[in-house]
C-alpha cells in the first residue's frame, strides 16, 4: 500500500478528491413532501405520549391512574400472590437454627477464658462444626511440584547463593 | 425603546433550542414540533447517508424524534439539543445497521438536485480525459453509496458527519462519545478504504 502511495505524485490531492466526491451526496434530497409527512406522522405517534419524565414521575402517574384499570388489577394480584407465596414458603421451611428450647452448643465459645473442661467437651462433641473441615478447600499446589504450566507457569529454578 | 423591541423580536419569533426544550418538557407539543422542524432534514440526511435507503431513513427519523420526546427528561443541557439529537440518531442507526447486516437489502436512493452538475468535483470528473467522464450521474450516485456501505458503521458515521455534513472533528467526537484523535484516525482509514473503492474515479 505504501508503495502504491509513493508511485502517485500527490496522494493529498487524491484524498481530497475522494472527500469531495463523497460530498456530492449532499445533493441527494428527500422528496419535497418529506417534512410535512414526517411532522404529521410524528404528531400521530406522539398524540397520546407525554413528554419525557423521570421514572419516579412515570410510576407515580401510572399508579395515579394513567394505566388501564384491568391492567392495574392484574399487576396488583400478581404482587399479592408473590407476597403470599413468600410467606407460605417461609412458614413451611425447616428451621436451620437451634430453637430457644434446645441449648446452643456454642456456649463454650462465648466465655472469654475457656476452661480445659469446656475445651474437652467441645473437642469430643460431634455436633460442633468448629473442627470440621469445610466442604471446599482451595489448596494451592506446592511450588516444588508444579502440576502443570496452566496452574503454576514454568517450573521454578532453584537459586544458589553459595558462589 | 424601538431598538429594544427590534432586538427582542427575533428571539421571540425564533426562540433558542433551550427555550423550546424547556417548553416541550412542560407539555407544549408545538415547541417540540418546532425543534423537529429545525432538525428533521439534517437528521434525515445523516440517517439516509448511513443507510442509503430512503424508506428506512424516514422510519428511522420518526423513531429518533419519538425516542427524543420520550427522553426529554434525560436531556441535561450539557450539550446542545442538536448534538444530543444527533447522538440518538447515530446510536439508533448503528443498531439498525447491525441488525440489517443479517438480511439482504437494496439501495433505495433519493434523487439528486440540479446543483450537482455545477459542483466542482463533478465538473472535474467530467472534464477528464478518461472513460469516467462518460459516467452518468445515476451510476456515480450508486457507486458512491455502494462504496460508503462497504465501510464499518463507525467509519461510515465519521465520513458522513465530516465529509458530507461538514461537522468539525470536536463535534463528531462529542456525538460519538470518543476522542478527537479517534475521529481523525477513523477518518483517515475510512478515506483510504474509499480511495481503493473509488480508485477508478481518482485523479
Amino acid at each position: 500500500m505504501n508503495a502504491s502511495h509513493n508511485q502517485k505524485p500527490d496522494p493529498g490531492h487524491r484524498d481530497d478528491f475522494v472527500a469531495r466526491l463523497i460530498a456530492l451526496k449532499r445533493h441527494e434530497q428527500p422528496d419535497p413532501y418529506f417534512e410535512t409527512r414526517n411532522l404529521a406522522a410524528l404528531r400521530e405517534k406522539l398524540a397520546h405520549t407525554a413528554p419525557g419524565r423521570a421514572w419516579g414521575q412515570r410510576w407515580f402517574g401510572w399508579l395515579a391512574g394513567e394505566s388501564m384499570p384491568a391492567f392495574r388489577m392484574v399487576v396488583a394480584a400478581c404482587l399479592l400472590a408473590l407476597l403470599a407465596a413468600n410467606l407460605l414458603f417461609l412458614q413451611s421451611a425447616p428451621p436451620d437454627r437451634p430453637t430457644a428450647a434446645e441449648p446452643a452448643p456454642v456456649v463454650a465459645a462465648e466465655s472469654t477464658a475457656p476452661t480445659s473442661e469446656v475445651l474437652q467437651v467441645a473437642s469430643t462433641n460431634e455436633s460442633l462444626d468448629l473442627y470440621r473441615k469445610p466442604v471446599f478447600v482451595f489448596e494451592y499446589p506446592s511450588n516444588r511440584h508444579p502440576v502443570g504450566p496452566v496452574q503454576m507457569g514454568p517450573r521454578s529454578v532453584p537459586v544458589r547463593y553459595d558462589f | 425603546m424601538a431598538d429594544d423591541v427590534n432586538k427582542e423580536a427575533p428571539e421571540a419569533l425564533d426562540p433558542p433550542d433551550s427555550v423550546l426544550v424547556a417548553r416541550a418538557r412542560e407539555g407544549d407539543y408545538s415547541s417540540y414540533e418546532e425543534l423537529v422542524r429545525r432538525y428533521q432534514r439534517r437528521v434525515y440526511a445523516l440517517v439516509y447517508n448511513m443507510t442509503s435507503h430512503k424508506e428506512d431513513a424516514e422510519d428511522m427519523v420518526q423513531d429518533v424524534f419519538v425516542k427524543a420526546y420520550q427522553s426529554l427528561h434525560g436531556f441535561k443541557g450539557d450539550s446542545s439539543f442538536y448534538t444530543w439529537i444527533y447522538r440518538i440518531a447515530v446510536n439508533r442507526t448503528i443498531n439498525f445497521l447491525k441488525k440489517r447486516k443479517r438480511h439482504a437489502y437494496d439501495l433505495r436512493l433519493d434523487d439528486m438536485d440540479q446543483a450537482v452538475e455545477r459542483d466542482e468535483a463533478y465538473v472535474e470528473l467530467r472534464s477528464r480525459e478518461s472513460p469516467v467522464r462518460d459516467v452518468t450521474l445515476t451510476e456515480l450516485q450508486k457507486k458512491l453509496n455502494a462504496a460508503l456501505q462497504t465501510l464499518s458503521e463507525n467509519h461510515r458515521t465519521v465520513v458522513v458527519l465530516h465529509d458530507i455534513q461538514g461537522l468539525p472533528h470536536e463535534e463528531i467526537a462529542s456525538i460519538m462519545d470518543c476522542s478527537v484523535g479517534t475521529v481523525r484516525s477513523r477518518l483517515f482509514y475510512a478515506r483510504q478504504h474509499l480511495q481503493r473503492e473509488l480508485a477508478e474515479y481518482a485523479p
Side-chain angles (χ1 to χ4, degrees):
Chain A
M1 201 164 67
N2 284 336
S4 67
H5 270 206
N6 293 335
Q7 282 165 7
K8 297 280 179 182
D10 189 3
H13 179 61
R14 277 194 313 153
D15 195 33
D16 179 52
F17 185 74
V18 166
R20 284 193 295 136
L21 213 51
I22 286 293
L24 285 177
K25 276 177 63 59
R26 283 179 194 164
H27 295 285
E28 288 174 332
Q29 298 293 334
D31 72 75
Y33 301 109
F34 156 72
E35 294 183 30
T36 323
R37 200 167 52 234
N38 187 49
L39 282 171
L42 269 177
R43 204 174 297 141
E44 196 178 322
K45 279 185 182 175
L46 297 175
H48 305 292
T49 311
R53 291 179 298 176
W55 65 270
Q57 286 176 319
R58 277 207 298 273
W59 271 100
F60 183 77
W62 188 83
L63 289 172
E66 281 177 13
S67 56
M68 285 171 61
F71 186 65
R72 278 207 304 275
M73 292 285 282
V74 168
V75 173
C78 286
L79 284 174
L80 280 173
L82 272 173
L83 192 67
N86 192 24
L87 282 173
L88 281 173
F89 176 76
L90 283 177
Q91 280 174 359
S92 62
D96 53 357
R97 288 182 180 183
T99 55
E102 54 182 289
V106 286
V107 173
E110 288 177 2
S111 60
T112 51
T115 60
S116 59
E117 272 182 345
V118 173
L119 284 175
Q120 196 178 357
V121 168
S123 64
T124 53
N125 193 348
E126 288 182 359
S127 68
L128 276 181
D129 290 342
L130 295 173
Y131 303 102
R132 190 173 292 166
K133 196 176 178 182
V135 179
F136 298 107
V137 178
F138 296 101
E139 290 178 348
Y140 288 94
S142 162
N143 196 28
R144 290 183 184 174
H145 305 288
V147 177
V150 176
Q151 286 97 337
M152 294 304 298
R155 182 181 286 274
S156 58
V157 178
V159 180
R160 295 180 60 193
Y161 296 100
D162 53 351
F163 58 89
Chain B
M1 184 68 187
D3 281 352
D4 286 348
V5 170
N6 286 339
K7 274 178 196 169
E8 282 173 18
E11 197 170 304
L13 289 173
D14 200 11
D17 290 354
S18 54
V19 172
L20 291 175
V21 169
R23 283 185 200 159
R25 265 186 192 158
E26 287 163 13
D28 178 11
Y29 183 72
S30 62
S31 295
Y32 189 69
E33 207 165 67
E34 177 56 30
L35 287 167
V36 175
R37 212 170 275 124
R38 279 183 194 180
Y39 296 113
Q40 61 180 350
R41 238 184 142 78
R42 278 188 264 183
V43 172
Y44 175 83
L46 163 69
V47 180
Y48 167 75
N49 284 316
M50 285 181 72
T51 55
S52 293
H53 198 289
K54 55 183 178 182
E55 283 87 7
D56 284 349
E58 212 166 310
D59 290 347
M60 191 68 66
V61 170
Q62 284 172 25
D63 182 49
V64 166
F65 281 107
V66 168
K67 177 71 188 164
Y69 190 64
Q70 288 168 345
S71 314
L72 267 183
H73 71 275
F75 176 61
K76 306 276 187 256
D78 301 335
S79 58
S80 62
F81 178 78
Y82 167 68
T83 305
W84 183 69
I85 197 89
Y86 254 58
R87 202 175 294 155
I88 295 174
V90 164
N91 290 337
R92 291 186 90 78
T93 310
I94 287 178
N95 284 343
F96 169 79
L97 289 171
K98 281 179 182 166
K99 282 180 199 160
R100 192 177 74 170
K101 262 185 189 173
R102 298 176 212 142
H103 312 287
Y105 67 94
D106 294 322
L107 301 181
R108 296 273 295 125
L109 305 178
D110 280 330
D111 295 333
M112 279 190 155
D113 59 24
Q114 296 297 316
V116 68
E117 290 178 5
R118 296 189 297 276
D119 195 290
E120 244 181 67
Y122 187 64
V123 171
E124 190 182 326
L125 197 69
R126 302 283 294 183
S127 62
R128 293 241 194 91
E129 296 283 330
S130 68
V132 294
R133 65 179 296 171
D134 298 327
V135 69
T136 64
L137 204 52
T138 314
E139 283 168 355
L140 179 64
Q141 189 190 5
K142 273 185 190 166
K143 188 76 186 167
L144 291 177
N145 279 283
L148 211 52
Q149 292 302 314
T150 60
L151 291 171
S152 74
E153 288 87 10
N154 282 330
H155 286 89
R156 201 183 314 162
T157 308
V158 174
V159 169
V160 168
L161 291 175
H162 189 270
D163 288 347
I164 302 177
Q165 301 217 294
L167 296 191
H169 293 119
E170 291 75 16
E171 197 152 352
I172 298 172
S174 169
I175 289 166
M176 296 189 73
D177 200 19
C178 62
S179 68
V180 174
T182 307
V183 171
R184 285 180 199 279
S185 150
R186 282 178 183 167
L187 195 59
F188 175 76
Y189 284 107
R191 279 185 185 162
Q192 275 197 333
H193 180 88
L194 287 173
Q195 259 181 29
R196 287 192 293 274
E197 289 290 322
L198 301 168
E200 58 191 303
Y201 301 107

